[in-house]
Amino acid sequence: MTVVKTMGVRGKAHIASLRAYLEDDRALAVWSANIANGSKPFDEMARTREAYGHDIASRRGCANEEMWHQVIGFLPENADFNGGKMSALDCMAFADEWLERNYPYQEAVLALHREHCAADGTDRYAVHIAMNRTMLDGSGRRLDEGRGAVAKAKRAQAMREADSRWGLRQVRANERNSAIHARQPTKAERKMEERGIESEKAFIRERVKARASEIRVEGPEGNRMRELSRRLSADGVEMTMSKSGKQAQFRTSRITVNGNRLGRGFSVAGLAHGLGIKAGMAIVRGIEQDMDS
């Protein structure tokens, strides 16, 4: 299913940021709706808001939501560069029809971008729309679709109908929508992952401190840094030197982390101190070279 997201735009800085993105040279296509002067659509929309008094908040003490930023995101497999049926012009025609059917009285600027997802390396088409809230139906009202959940449901239903007209696949509950684009982790999943990473870091810190303390007390002969690496390996923690040779690196089955991310005591100098090695910088550099070899 084609995805539609709507965000409120408040304040001059937010409007300027949205304008810069839509007018960026990387946009594949840009056009407008209900705009008389196509060369300066944002200036025209600002004059419209001012004329209707919509450049100030309707209630004292409230933020003024002057515009909407709506994004129509097409599934990657619908894009022509992925073998799909939707060309750049098709996507803009789709968005133009969307506005005509659902927002016929709104001034708007549309810009098409080819967006890249770094997480899974996929590309998709997305149309970004800057939409004035002022209704041009003579009522002088601001566009209002009701409560957030109600408005979201209405937009989703309207998008399903649009997909049906264009012959695009419909979404199915509890199923992956895109065969190309990997499912991205939810906010809850990201938080769980972050907690897991912190837990793994805590495990590494605990093992390094315990093993370094053992070695310091026992005072074994030979290279203590190498002995630390050997004992950590038995705990499931691989200790190596970074490619730059300037810091220790720790790896478990879940994460790889540089010593400086674990705290001051986990740098090469900090580890040397914890092992009871009287290490000036020259000795530390020797330890690094020895570990590398």
Side-chain angles (χ1 to χ4, degrees):
M1 175 184 175
T2 305
V3 177
V4 57
K5 295 183 180 180
T6 304
M7 298 146 281
V9 181
R10 303 175 178 89
K12 293 181 179 179
H14 196 172
I15 293 173
S17 177
L18 177 59
R19 178 177 185 171
Y21 183 74
L22 266 64
E23 294 181 346
D24 191 284
D25 290 341
R26 288 169 292 185
L28 302 178
V30 180
W31 66 55
S32 59
N34 293 324
I35 297 291
N37 184 357
S39 63
K40 295 184 178 180
F42 278 87
D43 294 343
E44 186 169 324
M45 287 192 284
R47 288 194 295 271
T48 298
R49 292 194 299 272
E50 185 178 0
Y52 283 85
H54 294 167
D55 55 334
I56 58 175
S58 58
R59 293 189 182 93
R60 183 176 296 179
C62 296
N64 186 29
E65 192 172 84
E66 300 170 74
M67 306 180 73
W68 283 356
H69 176 194
Q70 203 166 76
V71 183
I72 297 176
F74 298 90
L75 295 183
E77 50 261 63
N78 288 334
D80 53 4
F81 49 75
N82 289 324
K85 64 183 293 183
M86 300 294 283
S87 67
L89 287 177
D90 288 332
C91 291
M92 289 299 276
F94 182 104
D96 198 42
E97 179 189 283
W98 169 261
L99 288 177
E100 185 178 348
R101 285 175 175 266
N102 298 285
Y103 305 99
Y105 303 115
Q106 310 313 127
E107 294 171 308
V109 178
L110 307 82
L112 177 70
H113 285 256
R114 176 169 172 167
E115 297 183 340
H116 179 72
C117 177
D120 57 17
T122 59
D123 282 23
R124 70 166 188 176
Y125 283 129
V127 178
H128 290 256
I129 305 172
M131 186 188 307
N132 234 8
R133 287 190 63 201
T134 301
M135 301 282 289
L136 298 181
D137 59 353
S139 67
R141 296 180 296 112
R142 302 177 202 236
L143 176 62
D144 185 2
E145 293 187 321
R147 287 182 172 273
V150 173
K152 186 176 181 180
K154 288 181 179 177
R155 286 193 291 268
Q157 178 57 35
M159 188 56 73
R160 277 191 285 271
E161 294 171 0
D163 281 345
S164 180
R165 288 192 301 273
W166 283 77
L168 303 180
R169 187 172 64 83
Q170 298 295 295
V171 67
R172 294 182 180 179
N174 302 318
E175 290 188 12
R176 180 174 167 181
N177 294 333
S178 174
I180 297 176
H181 184 53
R183 185 182 73 84
Q184 300 305 302
T186 64
K187 185 180 292 185
E189 288 172 334
R190 286 196 296 270
K191 287 183 178 179
M192 289 175 65
E193 178 64 18
E194 288 168 3
R195 286 197 293 268
I197 290 172
E198 289 307 313
S199 176
E200 199 78 356
K201 287 180 179 179
F203 169 74
I204 294 171
R205 291 188 190 99
E206 186 274 329
R207 287 290 80 204
V208 171
K209 287 180 180 179
R211 292 304 192 182
S213 179
E214 289 174 2
I215 294 170
R216 182 177 184 133
V217 171
E218 295 170 9
E221 295 182 0
N223 189 303
R224 294 188 182 185
M225 195 73 79
R226 179 160 297 186
E227 178 63 15
L228 174 61
S229 178
R230 186 188 68 79
R231 296 192 188 191
L232 287 174
S233 181
D235 295 329
V237 180
E238 181 185 352
M239 174 183 163
T240 59
M241 283 295 153
S242 65
K243 291 182 179 180
S244 66
K246 295 183 178 180
Q247 60 182 321
Q249 196 172 69
F250 302 91
R251 182 195 303 272
T252 68
S253 60
R254 294 190 60 194
I255 67 170
T256 299
V257 60
N258 289 333
N260 65 337
R261 295 286 185 179
L262 298 173
R264 292 178 60 187
F266 299 89
S267 64
V268 173
L271 292 171
H273 177 76
L275 291 166
I277 301 172
K278 304 296 184 181
M281 286 309 298
I283 297 177
V284 169
R285 282 193 289 272
I287 291 171
E288 294 170 350
Q289 294 168 2
D290 190 42
M291 284 291 296
D292 284 339
S293 66

